[in-house]
Amino acid sequence: MNLVLFGPPGSGKGTQAKILEEKRHLPQLSTGEMLRAAVAAGSPLGKKVEAVLAKGDLVPDETVIAIIAERYDQPDCAKGAIFDGFPRTIPQAEALDAMLAARKKKIDIVIELKVDDAILVKRAETRAAETVAAGGKPRPDDNPETVKRRLAIYYENTAPLIDYYKKQGKLATVNGMASIDEVTKAIAAILDMAGRKGCLGL
Ligand code: AMP
């Protein structure tokens, strides 16, 4: 099964992707995590994208498409993957469809986590404060100003994907403002139903 977890920054994609990874035994492919790891490692890619990430802007499509294609060809993705934070633009979604088609695969389902903006800004503040309280360094893009910028970028570049996947009949929407446990259950119910209908390529 190839699943896209879709939603604005702070909607809980990463949290739910990690839960799904454990329950469904599929790897979580988070472009955000891969890019942050490259920055932390000081690799050439990391040096190229560090300022872009700190500002909350989008990394060029061809960069993230190449990262995903390389990662998807690892053996642990043989049965599919959970895409988290990718695709974020229409060209990325088209490239993902083409990449999967070339491997005789497809996106089976897209789950959108819907969360109000005010809650997203609050969540980013809480996440940064908790990291500091635990003695860590918060993400440079988790301050209110940058979160607002990331949200504006989300609505301009990423939200059009809702229609893209709706037209493909693949979109399911979940209330991302419910508790983590309730969101997990709602996603499980959608996947179980889709599985029964034979929609998940399992
Ligand atoms: P995330 O952890 O998904 O919130 O991503 C953190 C940051 O990484 C984003 O604000 C972007 O700067 C960059 N990024 C992650 N995924 C993508 C993507 N698919 N396309 C472009 N930039 C991305």
Side-chain angles (χ1 to χ4, degrees), residues 54 121 124-125 128 139-150:
V121 176
E125 280 171 3
R139 278 173 53 167
D141 58 355
D142 259 354
N143 60 76
E145 279 322 300
T146 312
V147 170
K148 283 182 194 147
R149 184 177 168 80
R150 289 166 67 202

Side-chain angles (χ1 to χ4, degrees), residues 58-91:
L58 291 183
V59 168
D61 287 338
E62 44 304 353
T63 306
V64 280
I65 290 164
I67 294 176
I68 280 287
E70 194 188 331
R71 179 64 187 86
Y72 192 78
D73 283 335
Q74 302 298 311
D76 62 333
C77 297
K79 291 203 164 113
I82 302 156
F83 294 90
D84 160 16
F86 181 92
R88 256 174 157 102
T89 63
I90 296 278

Side-chain angles (χ1 to χ4, degrees), residues 7-10 13-14 30-36 49-61 63-65 68 84-89 92 127 139 141-142 146 150 153 158:
K13 300 186 296 289
S30 159
T31 38
E33 281 185 10
M34 293 177 213
L35 293 165
R36 278 190 292 281
V49 301
E50 185 167 13
V52 179
L53 259 70
K55 258 177 83 183
D57 285 348
L58 291 183
V59 168
D61 287 338
T63 306
V64 280
I65 290 164
I68 280 287
D84 160 16
F86 181 92
R88 256 174 157 102
T89 63
Q92 289 180 23
R127 179 158 71 179
R139 278 173 53 167
D141 58 355
D142 259 354
T146 312
R150 289 166 67 202
I153 289 171
T158 311

Side-chain angles (χ1 to χ4, degrees), residues 8-23:
S11 56
K13 300 186 296 289
T15 303
Q16 295 300 331
K18 289 203 160 60
I19 294 170
L20 278 172
E21 179 171 50
E22 203 161 291
K23 286 200 176 149

